[in-house]
Amino acid sequence: MVIVLAGIVVLLVVVSILLVATTSGLTPEERQRLEDEIRQLVTSLGTVVPPIDAPELRQLHRQADHPRMLGWIKNSMRLDLRVGLRIVDTPCAETPMWIETPNPMPRYGSEAFRQTRVIVNVRREVLEKDPFEFIVAGFAHELSHVVLFSIQHPLQHSERAVDLTSMILGYRNFVTRTDRTQIQGGALAIALSLLLLRFGFVYIPARTRSSLGYLSKDEKRYASRHLARIEAARS
């Protein structure tokens, strides 16, 4: 019995480690880089939008009304142009979403900008299988390309800056929730581990990790905290 209890404790510790990100934090240089990028973006955008919590978005997701979800996010970013959504059946595509924009993008606020149409492409399996937060963060990321292109920002070709822009414009809580660690087999695998302990076997379930965007989990969390500090200082 003592051996079994000790085995259970070991297993629970291991499972806890598996469920927690295995990152070691950011170096001072990495934090400084993030702060510099955020400073450049906030200076140009002129605002830090508080975290968005929109029941309307969740309701649209439950209804699988993805075009209106995209439109809601576009309006929240004050993008006065036309946006289309194209659902594609290409499971082998390298990215879950991508956007088609004119090159060059007309200047934000101009008549040409208002007449512009961009198209967000998304894999069908993403809409069918990925969680709500992934879809919202993905849409916000693609539309943030439009934001940076239309103001001709020096960081407009940096995917990191695009992620940060979506966070600055209110979607930081969604972005920070796009890193997941899952135990393969879920509760069944954990139950099997506990059962095998009774017979002297230690079985540690495998895990899978998934992420969206171009910032690491630590970078997303640090950026979110830093934006909260900026927001508080401005209020």
Side-chain angles (χ1 to χ4, degrees), residues 84-122:
L85 179 65
R86 179 186 294 133
I87 302 173
V88 295
D89 294 296
T90 52
C92 295
E94 293 183 359
T95 58
M97 300 184 192
W98 62 98
I99 191 167
E100 299 174 18
T101 65
N103 186 18
M105 172 70 72
R107 192 77 180 179
Y108 179 82
S110 67
E111 182 61 28
F113 181 80
R114 287 188 287 272
Q115 296 302 318
T116 296
R117 184 171 188 261
V118 300
I119 299 175
V120 173
N121 295 271
V122 56

PDB file of all heavy atoms in Angstrom, residues 84-122:
ATOM      1  N   GLY A  84     -13.765  39.687 -46.642  1.00  0.00           N
ATOM      2  CA  GLY A  84     -14.420  38.438 -46.998  1.00  0.00           C
ATOM      3  C   GLY A  84     -13.766  37.265 -46.287  1.00  0.00           C
ATOM      4  O   GLY A  84     -12.600  37.332 -45.889  1.00  0.00           O
ATOM      5  N   LEU A  85     -14.530  36.196 -46.116  1.00  0.00           N
ATOM      6  CA  LEU A  85     -14.025  34.977 -45.491  1.00  0.00           C
ATOM      7  C   LEU A  85     -14.129  33.844 -46.501  1.00  0.00           C
ATOM      8  O   LEU A  85     -15.194  33.577 -47.046  1.00  0.00           O
ATOM      9  CB  LEU A  85     -14.828  34.628 -44.240  1.00  0.00           C
ATOM     10  CG  LEU A  85     -14.417  33.347 -43.504  1.00  0.00           C
ATOM     11  CD1 LEU A  85     -13.021  33.485 -42.924  1.00  0.00           C
ATOM     12  CD2 LEU A  85     -15.420  33.003 -42.403  1.00  0.00           C
ATOM     13  N   ARG A  86     -12.999  33.167 -46.713  1.00  0.00           N
ATOM     14  CA  ARG A  86     -12.968  32.019 -47.623  1.00  0.00           C
ATOM     15  C   ARG A  86     -12.566  30.781 -46.813  1.00  0.00           C
ATOM     16  O   ARG A  86     -11.483  30.737 -46.227  1.00  0.00           O
ATOM     17  CB  ARG A  86     -11.975  32.244 -48.759  1.00  0.00           C
ATOM     18  CG  ARG A  86     -11.902  31.054 -49.732  1.00  0.00           C
ATOM     19  CD  ARG A  86     -10.803  31.249 -50.762  1.00  0.00           C
ATOM     20  NE  ARG A  86     -11.092  32.373 -51.642  1.00  0.00           N
ATOM     21  CZ  ARG A  86     -10.224  33.316 -51.969  1.00  0.00           C
ATOM     22  NH1 ARG A  86      -8.986  33.293 -51.452  1.00  0.00           N
ATOM     23  NH2 ARG A  86     -10.562  34.297 -52.800  1.00  0.00           N
ATOM     24  N   ILE A  87     -13.443  29.799 -46.780  1.00  0.00           N
ATOM     25  CA  ILE A  87     -13.170  28.539 -46.079  1.00  0.00           C
ATOM     26  C   ILE A  87     -12.607  27.553 -47.086  1.00  0.00           C
ATOM     27  O   ILE A  87     -13.222  27.285 -48.123  1.00  0.00           O
ATOM     28  CB  ILE A  87     -14.450  27.994 -45.425  1.00  0.00           C
ATOM     29  CG1 ILE A  87     -15.020  29.030 -44.445  1.00  0.00           C
ATOM     30  CG2 ILE A  87     -14.170  26.675 -44.712  1.00  0.00           C
ATOM     31  CD1 ILE A  87     -16.359  28.658 -43.869  1.00  0.00           C
ATOM     32  N   VAL A  88     -11.419  27.038 -46.785  1.00  0.00           N
ATOM     33  CA  VAL A  88     -10.714  26.207 -47.761  1.00  0.00           C
ATOM     34  C   VAL A  88     -10.538  24.789 -47.218  1.00  0.00           C
ATOM     35  O   VAL A  88     -10.362  24.579 -46.023  1.00  0.00           O
ATOM     36  CB  VAL A  88      -9.347  26.811 -48.135  1.00  0.00           C
ATOM     37  CG1 VAL A  88      -9.522  28.137 -48.838  1.00  0.00           C
ATOM     38  CG2 VAL A  88      -8.486  27.002 -46.889  1.00  0.00           C
ATOM     39  N   ASP A  89     -10.600  23.829 -48.121  1.00  0.00           N
ATOM     40  CA  ASP A  89     -10.419  22.413 -47.764  1.00  0.00           C
ATOM     41  C   ASP A  89      -9.013  21.972 -48.146  1.00  0.00           C
ATOM     42  O   ASP A  89      -8.823  21.198 -49.084  1.00  0.00           O
ATOM     43  CB  ASP A  89     -11.462  21.552 -48.473  1.00  0.00           C
ATOM     44  CG  ASP A  89     -12.866  21.846 -47.985  1.00  0.00           C
ATOM     45  OD1 ASP A  89     -13.141  21.608 -46.801  1.00  0.00           O
ATOM     46  OD2 ASP A  89     -13.688  22.327 -48.792  1.00  0.00           O
ATOM     47  N   THR A  90      -8.049  22.477 -47.423  1.00  0.00           N
ATOM     48  CA  THR A  90      -6.655  22.109 -47.664  1.00  0.00           C
ATOM     49  C   THR A  90      -6.022  21.712 -46.337  1.00  0.00           C
ATOM     50  O   THR A  90      -5.332  22.509 -45.699  1.00  0.00           O
ATOM     51  CB  THR A  90      -5.867  23.282 -48.288  1.00  0.00           C
ATOM     52  OG1 THR A  90      -6.061  24.456 -47.467  1.00  0.00           O
ATOM     53  CG2 THR A  90      -6.328  23.576 -49.698  1.00  0.00           C
ATOM     54  N   PRO A  91      -6.272  20.486 -45.882  1.00  0.00           N
ATOM     55  CA  PRO A  91      -5.767  20.065 -44.570  1.00  0.00           C
ATOM     56  C   PRO A  91      -4.254  20.076 -44.446  1.00  0.00           C
ATOM     57  O   PRO A  91      -3.728  20.094 -43.341  1.00  0.00           O
ATOM     58  CB  PRO A  91      -6.323  18.638 -44.428  1.00  0.00           C
ATOM     59  CG  PRO A  91      -6.590  18.191 -45.820  1.00  0.00           C
ATOM     60  CD  PRO A  91      -7.004  19.416 -46.569  1.00  0.00           C
ATOM     61  N   CYS A  92      -3.545  20.078 -45.577  1.00  0.00           N
ATOM     62  CA  CYS A  92      -2.084  20.042 -45.513  1.00  0.00           C
ATOM     63  C   CYS A  92      -1.461  21.440 -45.572  1.00  0.00           C
ATOM     64  O   CYS A  92      -0.242  21.574 -45.681  1.00  0.00           O
ATOM     65  CB  CYS A  92      -1.528  19.181 -46.650  1.00  0.00           C
ATOM     66  SG  CYS A  92      -2.002  17.443 -46.520  1.00  0.00           S
ATOM     67  N   ALA A  93      -2.294  22.476 -45.518  1.00  0.00           N
ATOM     68  CA  ALA A  93      -1.762  23.835 -45.563  1.00  0.00           C
ATOM     69  C   ALA A  93      -0.850  24.084 -44.366  1.00  0.00           C
ATOM     70  O   ALA A  93      -1.070  23.555 -43.276  1.00  0.00           O
ATOM     71  CB  ALA A  93      -2.908  24.846 -45.570  1.00  0.00           C
ATOM     72  N   GLU A  94       0.185  24.887 -44.579  1.00  0.00           N
ATOM     73  CA  GLU A  94       1.175  25.117 -43.525  1.00  0.00           C
ATOM     74  C   GLU A  94       0.626  25.973 -42.392  1.00  0.00           C
ATOM     75  O   GLU A  94       1.078  25.862 -41.252  1.00  0.00           O
ATOM     76  CB  GLU A  94       2.415  25.781 -44.128  1.00  0.00           C
ATOM     77  CG  GLU A  94       3.189  24.880 -45.090  1.00  0.00           C
ATOM     78  CD  GLU A  94       4.441  25.542 -45.601  1.00  0.00           C
ATOM     79  OE1 GLU A  94       4.683  26.707 -45.217  1.00  0.00           O
ATOM     80  OE2 GLU A  94       5.173  24.910 -46.371  1.00  0.00           O
ATOM     81  N   THR A  95      -0.314  26.840 -42.683  1.00  0.00           N
ATOM     82  CA  THR A  95      -0.859  27.726 -41.657  1.00  0.00           C
ATOM     83  C   THR A  95      -2.368  27.548 -41.560  1.00  0.00           C
ATOM     84  O   THR A  95      -3.023  27.210 -42.543  1.00  0.00           O
ATOM     85  CB  THR A  95      -0.554  29.202 -41.986  1.00  0.00           C
ATOM     86  OG1 THR A  95      -1.103  29.514 -43.279  1.00  0.00           O
ATOM     87  CG2 THR A  95       0.935  29.459 -42.005  1.00  0.00           C
ATOM     88  N   PRO A  96      -2.940  27.770 -40.368  1.00  0.00           N
ATOM     89  CA  PRO A  96      -4.391  27.612 -40.214  1.00  0.00           C
ATOM     90  C   PRO A  96      -5.182  28.706 -40.909  1.00  0.00           C
ATOM     91  O   PRO A  96      -6.312  28.484 -41.346  1.00  0.00           O
ATOM     92  CB  PRO A  96      -4.593  27.642 -38.700  1.00  0.00           C
ATOM     93  CG  PRO A  96      -3.411  28.392 -38.178  1.00  0.00           C
ATOM     94  CD  PRO A  96      -2.269  28.051 -39.082  1.00  0.00           C
ATOM     95  N   MET A  97      -4.589  29.907 -41.001  1.00  0.00           N
ATOM     96  CA  MET A  97      -5.254  31.049 -41.637  1.00  0.00           C
ATOM     97  C   MET A  97      -4.220  31.892 -42.366  1.00  0.00           C
ATOM     98  O   MET A  97      -3.045  31.900 -42.010  1.00  0.00           O
ATOM     99  CB  MET A  97      -5.959  31.935 -40.598  1.00  0.00           C
ATOM    100  CG  MET A  97      -7.027  31.279 -39.784  1.00  0.00           C
ATOM    101  SD  MET A  97      -7.834  32.481 -38.681  1.00  0.00           S
ATOM    102  CE  MET A  97      -8.757  31.378 -37.599  1.00  0.00           C
ATOM    103  N   TRP A  98      -4.668  32.620 -43.366  1.00  0.00           N
ATOM    104  CA  TRP A  98      -3.825  33.600 -44.034  1.00  0.00           C
ATOM    105  C   TRP A  98      -4.730  34.636 -44.691  1.00  0.00           C
ATOM    106  O   TRP A  98      -5.929  34.423 -44.864  1.00  0.00           O
ATOM    107  CB  TRP A  98      -2.886  32.959 -45.042  1.00  0.00           C
ATOM    108  CG  TRP A  98      -3.554  32.242 -46.192  1.00  0.00           C
ATOM    109  CD1 TRP A  98      -3.780  32.709 -47.450  1.00  0.00           C
ATOM    110  CD2 TRP A  98      -4.057  30.889 -46.178  1.00  0.00           C
ATOM    111  NE1 TRP A  98      -4.395  31.757 -48.219  1.00  0.00           N
ATOM    112  CE2 TRP A  98      -4.574  30.634 -47.472  1.00  0.00           C
ATOM    113  CE3 TRP A  98      -4.120  29.884 -45.209  1.00  0.00           C
ATOM    114  CZ2 TRP A  98      -5.155  29.409 -47.808  1.00  0.00           C
ATOM    115  CZ3 TRP A  98      -4.703  28.669 -45.544  1.00  0.00           C
ATOM    116  CH2 TRP A  98      -5.210  28.439 -46.830  1.00  0.00           C
ATOM    117  N   ILE A  99      -4.164  35.780 -45.029  1.00  0.00           N
ATOM    118  CA  ILE A  99      -4.965  36.876 -45.555  1.00  0.00           C
ATOM    119  C   ILE A  99      -4.420  37.338 -46.898  1.00  0.00           C
ATOM    120  O   ILE A  99      -3.207  37.343 -47.122  1.00  0.00           O
ATOM    121  CB  ILE A  99      -5.012  38.057 -44.552  1.00  0.00           C
ATOM    122  CG1 ILE A  99      -6.060  39.089 -44.975  1.00  0.00           C
ATOM    123  CG2 ILE A  99      -3.640  38.704 -44.377  1.00  0.00           C
ATOM    124  CD1 ILE A  99      -6.390  40.111 -43.892  1.00  0.00           C
ATOM    125  N   GLU A 100      -5.325  37.699 -47.788  1.00  0.00           N
ATOM    126  CA  GLU A 100      -4.971  38.261 -49.090  1.00  0.00           C
ATOM    127  C   GLU A 100      -5.269  39.754 -49.055  1.00  0.00           C
ATOM    128  O   GLU A 100      -6.399  40.173 -48.785  1.00  0.00           O
ATOM    129  CB  GLU A 100      -5.782  37.591 -50.194  1.00  0.00           C
ATOM    130  CG  GLU A 100      -5.535  36.092 -50.310  1.00  0.00           C
ATOM    131  CD  GLU A 100      -6.458  35.413 -51.305  1.00  0.00           C
ATOM    132  OE1 GLU A 100      -7.057  36.130 -52.145  1.00  0.00           O
ATOM    133  OE2 GLU A 100      -6.599  34.180 -51.246  1.00  0.00           O
ATOM    134  N   THR A 101      -4.247  40.550 -49.324  1.00  0.00           N
ATOM    135  CA  THR A 101      -4.383  42.006 -49.298  1.00  0.00           C
ATOM    136  C   THR A 101      -3.745  42.595 -50.547  1.00  0.00           C
ATOM    137  O   THR A 101      -2.847  41.988 -51.136  1.00  0.00           O
ATOM    138  CB  THR A 101      -3.693  42.617 -48.067  1.00  0.00           C
ATOM    139  OG1 THR A 101      -2.277  42.387 -48.171  1.00  0.00           O
ATOM    140  CG2 THR A 101      -4.205  41.999 -46.779  1.00  0.00           C
ATOM    141  N   PRO A 102      -4.188  43.778 -50.956  1.00  0.00           N
ATOM    142  CA  PRO A 102      -3.507  44.439 -52.077  1.00  0.00           C
ATOM    143  C   PRO A 102      -2.113  44.893 -51.658  1.00  0.00           C
ATOM    144  O   PRO A 102      -1.848  45.120 -50.476  1.00  0.00           O
ATOM    145  CB  PRO A 102      -4.406  45.637 -52.388  1.00  0.00           C
ATOM    146  CG  PRO A 102      -5.144  45.899 -51.123  1.00  0.00           C
ATOM    147  CD  PRO A 102      -5.325  44.566 -50.455  1.00  0.00           C
ATOM    148  N   ASN A 103      -1.239  45.000 -52.615  1.00  0.00           N
ATOM    149  CA  ASN A 103       0.124  45.463 -52.357  1.00  0.00           C
ATOM    150  C   ASN A 103       0.463  46.556 -53.377  1.00  0.00           C
ATOM    151  O   ASN A 103       0.575  46.267 -54.558  1.00  0.00           O
ATOM    152  CB  ASN A 103       1.103  44.308 -52.464  1.00  0.00           C
ATOM    153  CG  ASN A 103       2.518  44.708 -52.070  1.00  0.00           C
ATOM    154  OD1 ASN A 103       2.707  45.728 -51.422  1.00  0.00           O
ATOM    155  ND2 ASN A 103       3.506  43.924 -52.481  1.00  0.00           N
ATOM    156  N   PRO A 104       0.586  47.801 -52.906  1.00  0.00           N
ATOM    157  CA  PRO A 104       0.553  48.238 -51.500  1.00  0.00           C
ATOM    158  C   PRO A 104      -0.878  48.399 -50.984  1.00  0.00           C
ATOM    159  O   PRO A 104      -1.807  48.568 -51.765  1.00  0.00           O
ATOM    160  CB  PRO A 104       1.275  49.578 -51.540  1.00  0.00           C
ATOM    161  CG  PRO A 104       0.947  50.113 -52.906  1.00  0.00           C
ATOM    162  CD  PRO A 104       0.922  48.909 -53.813  1.00  0.00           C
ATOM    163  N   MET A 105      -0.997  48.361 -49.683  1.00  0.00           N
ATOM    164  CA  MET A 105      -2.287  48.598 -49.043  1.00  0.00           C
ATOM    165  C   MET A 105      -2.567  50.095 -49.005  1.00  0.00           C
ATOM    166  O   MET A 105      -1.687  50.880 -48.633  1.00  0.00           O
ATOM    167  CB  MET A 105      -2.266  48.044 -47.616  1.00  0.00           C
ATOM    168  CG  MET A 105      -3.484  48.393 -46.772  1.00  0.00           C
ATOM    169  SD  MET A 105      -4.984  47.548 -47.288  1.00  0.00           S
ATOM    170  CE  MET A 105      -4.604  45.879 -46.732  1.00  0.00           C
ATOM    171  N   PRO A 106      -3.751  50.534 -49.429  1.00  0.00           N
ATOM    172  CA  PRO A 106      -4.081  51.965 -49.330  1.00  0.00           C
ATOM    173  C   PRO A 106      -3.975  52.475 -47.898  1.00  0.00           C
ATOM    174  O   PRO A 106      -4.145  51.714 -46.939  1.00  0.00           O
ATOM    175  CB  PRO A 106      -5.530  52.018 -49.831  1.00  0.00           C
ATOM    176  CG  PRO A 106      -5.671  50.825 -50.715  1.00  0.00           C
ATOM    177  CD  PRO A 106      -4.817  49.762 -50.087  1.00  0.00           C
ATOM    178  N   ARG A 107      -3.711  53.729 -47.779  1.00  0.00           N
ATOM    179  CA  ARG A 107      -3.508  54.342 -46.462  1.00  0.00           C
ATOM    180  C   ARG A 107      -4.789  54.290 -45.639  1.00  0.00           C
ATOM    181  O   ARG A 107      -5.888  54.512 -46.152  1.00  0.00           O
ATOM    182  CB  ARG A 107      -3.058  55.798 -46.635  1.00  0.00           C
ATOM    183  CG  ARG A 107      -2.544  56.459 -45.357  1.00  0.00           C
ATOM    184  CD  ARG A 107      -1.156  55.988 -45.047  1.00  0.00           C
ATOM    185  NE  ARG A 107      -0.644  56.614 -43.812  1.00  0.00           N
ATOM    186  CZ  ARG A 107       0.543  56.354 -43.301  1.00  0.00           C
ATOM    187  NH1 ARG A 107       1.376  55.524 -43.919  1.00  0.00           N
ATOM    188  NH2 ARG A 107       0.940  56.939 -42.195  1.00  0.00           N
ATOM    189  N   TYR A 108      -4.646  53.986 -44.353  1.00  0.00           N
ATOM    190  CA  TYR A 108      -5.791  53.916 -43.454  1.00  0.00           C
ATOM    191  C   TYR A 108      -6.559  55.236 -43.462  1.00  0.00           C
ATOM    192  O   TYR A 108      -5.971  56.321 -43.375  1.00  0.00           O
ATOM    193  CB  TYR A 108      -5.324  53.614 -42.030  1.00  0.00           C
ATOM    194  CG  TYR A 108      -6.440  53.546 -41.013  1.00  0.00           C
ATOM    195  CD1 TYR A 108      -7.187  52.398 -40.858  1.00  0.00           C
ATOM    196  CD2 TYR A 108      -6.738  54.663 -40.228  1.00  0.00           C
ATOM    197  CE1 TYR A 108      -8.223  52.335 -39.925  1.00  0.00           C
ATOM    198  CE2 TYR A 108      -7.768  54.605 -39.294  1.00  0.00           C
ATOM    199  CZ  TYR A 108      -8.507  53.442 -39.155  1.00  0.00           C
ATOM    200  OH  TYR A 108      -9.530  53.400 -38.238  1.00  0.00           O
ATOM    201  N   GLY A 109      -7.900  55.133 -43.571  1.00  0.00           N
ATOM    202  CA  GLY A 109      -8.753  56.314 -43.535  1.00  0.00           C
ATOM    203  C   GLY A 109      -9.008  56.944 -44.887  1.00  0.00           C
ATOM    204  O   GLY A 109      -9.872  57.822 -44.991  1.00  0.00           O
ATOM    205  N   SER A 110      -8.290  56.515 -45.913  1.00  0.00           N
ATOM    206  CA  SER A 110      -8.476  57.100 -47.242  1.00  0.00           C
ATOM    207  C   SER A 110      -9.693  56.485 -47.928  1.00  0.00           C
ATOM    208  O   SER A 110     -10.186  55.418 -47.547  1.00  0.00           O
ATOM    209  CB  SER A 110      -7.231  56.874 -48.097  1.00  0.00           C
ATOM    210  OG  SER A 110      -7.069  55.492 -48.378  1.00  0.00           O
ATOM    211  N   GLU A 111     -10.162  57.143 -48.978  1.00  0.00           N
ATOM    212  CA  GLU A 111     -11.283  56.605 -49.748  1.00  0.00           C
ATOM    213  C   GLU A 111     -10.893  55.291 -50.402  1.00  0.00           C
ATOM    214  O   GLU A 111     -11.701  54.356 -50.479  1.00  0.00           O
ATOM    215  CB  GLU A 111     -11.733  57.611 -50.804  1.00  0.00           C
ATOM    216  CG  GLU A 111     -12.928  57.145 -51.631  1.00  0.00           C
ATOM    217  CD  GLU A 111     -14.168  56.886 -50.777  1.00  0.00           C
ATOM    218  OE1 GLU A 111     -14.313  57.516 -49.719  1.00  0.00           O
ATOM    219  OE2 GLU A 111     -14.992  56.025 -51.194  1.00  0.00           O
ATOM    220  N   ALA A 112      -9.652  55.208 -50.864  1.00  0.00           N
ATOM    221  CA  ALA A 112      -9.174  53.957 -51.469  1.00  0.00           C
ATOM    222  C   ALA A 112      -9.186  52.827 -50.454  1.00  0.00           C
ATOM    223  O   ALA A 112      -9.512  51.676 -50.785  1.00  0.00           O
ATOM    224  CB  ALA A 112      -7.766  54.160 -52.023  1.00  0.00           C
ATOM    225  N   PHE A 113      -8.861  53.149 -49.201  1.00  0.00           N
ATOM    226  CA  PHE A 113      -8.892  52.124 -48.151  1.00  0.00           C
ATOM    227  C   PHE A 113     -10.314  51.624 -47.935  1.00  0.00           C
ATOM    228  O   PHE A 113     -10.548  50.411 -47.819  1.00  0.00           O
ATOM    229  CB  PHE A 113      -8.328  52.697 -46.851  1.00  0.00           C
ATOM    230  CG  PHE A 113      -8.289  51.714 -45.704  1.00  0.00           C
ATOM    231  CD1 PHE A 113      -7.280  50.779 -45.598  1.00  0.00           C
ATOM    232  CD2 PHE A 113      -9.287  51.731 -44.720  1.00  0.00           C
ATOM    233  CE1 PHE A 113      -7.240  49.870 -44.548  1.00  0.00           C
ATOM    234  CE2 PHE A 113      -9.258  50.832 -43.668  1.00  0.00           C
ATOM    235  CZ  PHE A 113      -8.228  49.891 -43.589  1.00  0.00           C
ATOM    236  N   ARG A 114     -11.262  52.540 -47.895  1.00  0.00           N
ATOM    237  CA  ARG A 114     -12.650  52.143 -47.671  1.00  0.00           C
ATOM    238  C   ARG A 114     -13.193  51.295 -48.809  1.00  0.00           C
ATOM    239  O   ARG A 114     -14.113  50.498 -48.614  1.00  0.00           O
ATOM    240  CB  ARG A 114     -13.524  53.388 -47.467  1.00  0.00           C
ATOM    241  CG  ARG A 114     -13.299  54.062 -46.117  1.00  0.00           C
ATOM    242  CD  ARG A 114     -14.310  55.171 -45.873  1.00  0.00           C
ATOM    243  NE  ARG A 114     -14.031  56.345 -46.685  1.00  0.00           N
ATOM    244  CZ  ARG A 114     -13.221  57.330 -46.306  1.00  0.00           C
ATOM    245  NH1 ARG A 114     -12.614  57.261 -45.127  1.00  0.00           N
ATOM    246  NH2 ARG A 114     -13.024  58.366 -47.091  1.00  0.00           N
ATOM    247  N   GLN A 115     -12.627  51.440 -50.005  1.00  0.00           N
ATOM    248  CA  GLN A 115     -13.074  50.650 -51.157  1.00  0.00           C
ATOM    249  C   GLN A 115     -12.312  49.333 -51.296  1.00  0.00           C
ATOM    250  O   GLN A 115     -12.608  48.531 -52.179  1.00  0.00           O
ATOM    251  CB  GLN A 115     -12.905  51.471 -52.437  1.00  0.00           C
ATOM    252  CG  GLN A 115     -13.769  52.723 -52.499  1.00  0.00           C
ATOM    253  CD  GLN A 115     -15.250  52.413 -52.367  1.00  0.00           C
ATOM    254  OE1 GLN A 115     -15.747  51.450 -52.957  1.00  0.00           O
ATOM    255  NE2 GLN A 115     -15.963  53.212 -51.585  1.00  0.00           N
ATOM    256  N   THR A 116     -11.350  49.123 -50.436  1.00  0.00           N
ATOM    257  CA  THR A 116     -10.503  47.928 -50.524  1.00  0.00           C
ATOM    258  C   THR A 116     -11.235  46.715 -49.953  1.00  0.00           C
ATOM    259  O   THR A 116     -11.998  46.823 -48.998  1.00  0.00           O
ATOM    260  CB  THR A 116      -9.194  48.154 -49.752  1.00  0.00           C
ATOM    261  OG1 THR A 116      -8.459  49.201 -50.383  1.00  0.00           O
ATOM    262  CG2 THR A 116      -8.341  46.890 -49.711  1.00  0.00           C
ATOM    263  N   ARG A 117     -10.961  45.557 -50.550  1.00  0.00           N
ATOM    264  CA  ARG A 117     -11.490  44.293 -50.029  1.00  0.00           C
ATOM    265  C   ARG A 117     -10.323  43.348 -49.766  1.00  0.00           C
ATOM    266  O   ARG A 117      -9.456  43.156 -50.620  1.00  0.00           O
ATOM    267  CB  ARG A 117     -12.458  43.642 -51.025  1.00  0.00           C
ATOM    268  CG  ARG A 117     -13.115  42.354 -50.492  1.00  0.00           C
ATOM    269  CD  ARG A 117     -14.211  41.895 -51.432  1.00  0.00           C
ATOM    270  NE  ARG A 117     -14.979  40.794 -50.873  1.00  0.00           N
ATOM    271  CZ  ARG A 117     -14.779  39.513 -51.174  1.00  0.00           C
ATOM    272  NH1 ARG A 117     -13.839  39.176 -52.055  1.00  0.00           N
ATOM    273  NH2 ARG A 117     -15.521  38.572 -50.629  1.00  0.00           N
ATOM    274  N   VAL A 118     -10.304  42.788 -48.571  1.00  0.00           N
ATOM    275  CA  VAL A 118      -9.309  41.777 -48.218  1.00  0.00           C
ATOM    276  C   VAL A 118     -10.041  40.467 -47.948  1.00  0.00           C
ATOM    277  O   VAL A 118     -11.238  40.465 -47.647  1.00  0.00           O
ATOM    278  CB  VAL A 118      -8.475  42.207 -46.993  1.00  0.00           C
ATOM    279  CG1 VAL A 118      -7.733  43.506 -47.275  1.00  0.00           C
ATOM    280  CG2 VAL A 118      -9.362  42.354 -45.761  1.00  0.00           C
ATOM    281  N   ILE A 119      -9.324  39.376 -48.058  1.00  0.00           N
ATOM    282  CA  ILE A 119      -9.936  38.061 -47.862  1.00  0.00           C
ATOM    283  C   ILE A 119      -9.125  37.273 -46.841  1.00  0.00           C
ATOM    284  O   ILE A 119      -7.912  37.090 -47.005  1.00  0.00           O
ATOM    285  CB  ILE A 119     -10.017  37.271 -49.179  1.00  0.00           C
ATOM    286  CG1 ILE A 119     -10.870  38.023 -50.201  1.00  0.00           C
ATOM    287  CG2 ILE A 119     -10.598  35.874 -48.937  1.00  0.00           C
ATOM    288  CD1 ILE A 119     -10.902  37.359 -51.568  1.00  0.00           C
ATOM    289  N   VAL A 120      -9.804  36.827 -45.804  1.00  0.00           N
ATOM    290  CA  VAL A 120      -9.187  35.946 -44.818  1.00  0.00           C
ATOM    291  C   VAL A 120      -9.510  34.506 -45.209  1.00  0.00           C
ATOM    292  O   VAL A 120     -10.678  34.147 -45.372  1.00  0.00           O
ATOM    293  CB  VAL A 120      -9.701  36.240 -43.396  1.00  0.00           C
ATOM    294  CG1 VAL A 120      -9.177  35.196 -42.400  1.00  0.00           C
ATOM    295  CG2 VAL A 120      -9.281  37.641 -42.959  1.00  0.00           C
ATOM    296  N   ASN A 121      -8.466  33.716 -45.391  1.00  0.00           N
ATOM    297  CA  ASN A 121      -8.620  32.294 -45.703  1.00  0.00           C
ATOM    298  C   ASN A 121      -8.434  31.490 -44.427  1.00  0.00           C
ATOM    299  O   ASN A 121      -7.517  31.749 -43.646  1.00  0.00           O
ATOM    300  CB  ASN A 121      -7.568  31.853 -46.724  1.00  0.00           C
ATOM    301  CG  ASN A 121      -7.742  32.537 -48.065  1.00  0.00           C
ATOM    302  OD1 ASN A 121      -8.461  32.068 -48.935  1.00  0.00           O
ATOM    303  ND2 ASN A 121      -7.063  33.679 -48.230  1.00  0.00           N
ATOM    304  N   VAL A 122      -9.273  30.495 -44.237  1.00  0.00           N
ATOM    305  CA  VAL A 122      -9.168  29.646 -43.045  1.00  0.00           C
ATOM    306  C   VAL A 122      -9.483  28.212 -43.439  1.00  0.00           C
ATOM    307  O   VAL A 122     -10.397  27.953 -44.226  1.00  0.00           O
ATOM    308  CB  VAL A 122     -10.111  30.125 -41.915  1.00  0.00           C
ATOM    309  CG1 VAL A 122     -11.554  30.194 -42.388  1.00  0.00           C
ATOM    310  CG2 VAL A 122      -9.983  29.233 -40.685  1.00  0.00           C
TER     311      VAL A 122
END
